[in-house]
Amino acid sequence: MALHFDEVGQFVERWVRQLIGLGVAIGVAATMWYLIAVGTGSGTGRASDLYQSIAFLWFTAAVAALEGGTWWWFRRTMTNGQRPGYLSAAYLASRTGGILFCHVLFLNLVRSGLGATGLVPHLGWAGTVVVTYVLTLSISASFTALVLLTPLRWVLTGPVRKEQRARLSRRVAEGRPISTPEISMSPA
C-alpha cells in the first residue's frame, strides 16, 4: 500500500461506504462462523484460529473498513471546524501507537484483576469481554495521554513529526546535508 499510497487513497475516497459496509458484513459473518463452530462442538481455540479462511477475509475487510472509517473521520474533522481537539484525526492518530504498545500489559493486568476479585463468574462471558475491553482501552489511552506529557513520549510513541519537520526545514534552510538517521531517530 505504501508504494501506491495515492492510488489507495483515491480508491478509499471513491468506495468509502462500500468498504465500511463490507467490513461490517464480513465481521458479522465471522462472528456467526465462530458462534456456529462453538455451538457445534468446536473448542473456542479452534473456532477462533487465525489460520482459517474466514479469518483472512475478516482481517482484510477489517483493515479496509478501518482505512475507510479513518478517511471518513479525517474528512469530517477537516470540513467541520466545530470538532473538539480531542476528537480530531491528528489527536487520535498521535495516541494509536502508544495504545498499541502498552495495551497488552494492561489487558493482562485487567484479566488478572478480574480473576483475583472473583467477578468473572458473576459477569459471564459477554460481561467479562465488555469490562475487559472497556477497562483495557481506557487505561491504555489514559496511560498514553499521560506519557505524552513527559519526555518519555518518544519511547512510547516515537518521534514527534511536527518537531521532525521543523528540524528538517531548518537544516534545508541552512544548506546543511540531511542525515536520515539523525532526523528520524533523534528524540531531541
Side-chain angles (χ1 to χ4, degrees):
M1 284 181 55
L3 294 175
H4 302 283
F5 187 74
D6 292 334
E7 291 89 354
V8 170
Q10 291 168 358
F11 179 85
V12 169
E13 185 174 355
R14 183 173 180 194
W15 299 97
V16 64
R17 288 191 176 126
Q18 292 85 347
L19 287 172
I20 294 171
L22 186 63
V24 169
I26 292 179
V28 168
T31 303
M32 295 305 297
W33 176 281
Y34 173 83
L35 293 173
I36 290 169
V38 170
T40 58
S42 287
T44 56
R46 173 83 173 111
S48 62
D49 186 359
L50 61 95
Y51 295 108
Q52 293 188 33
S53 300
I54 191 73
F56 171 76
L57 291 173
W58 165 234
F59 298 156
T60 305
V63 168
L66 285 171
E67 176 66 23
T70 303
W71 179 88
W72 174 78
W73 187 261
F74 180 73
R75 284 289 182 193
R76 283 192 51 169
T77 60
M78 295 303 289
T79 58
N80 182 357
Q82 304 301 317
R83 182 136 350 266
Y86 62 86
L87 291 178
S88 71
Y91 179 85
L92 295 173
S94 71
R95 269 92 184 126
T96 57
I99 293 169
L100 173 68
F101 289 138
C102 73
H103 84 278
V104 174
L105 168 68
F106 296 116
L107 173 63
N108 289 328
L109 289 174
V110 167
R111 288 179 61 211
S112 296
L114 286 176
T117 60
L119 288 175
V120 174
H122 302 291
L123 292 172
W125 179 81
T128 302
V129 168
V130 169
V131 168
T132 302
Y133 177 79
V134 169
L135 285 176
T136 301
L137 183 59
S138 300
I139 295 168
S140 299
S142 298
F143 177 77
T144 300
L146 286 173
V147 169
L148 287 174
L149 298 174
T150 72
L152 290 175
R153 73 177 185 268
W154 191 82
V155 174
L156 185 63
T157 63
V160 178
R161 301 295 179 211
K162 184 176 180 180
E163 293 171 7
Q164 278 186 327
R165 286 190 293 274
R167 282 195 309 273
L168 181 60
S169 295
R170 280 194 307 271
R171 291 183 76 81
V172 169
E174 294 168 359
R176 296 180 8 206
I178 300 170
S179 171
T180 304
E182 180 183 334
I183 296 295
S184 63
M185 299 303 286
S186 174

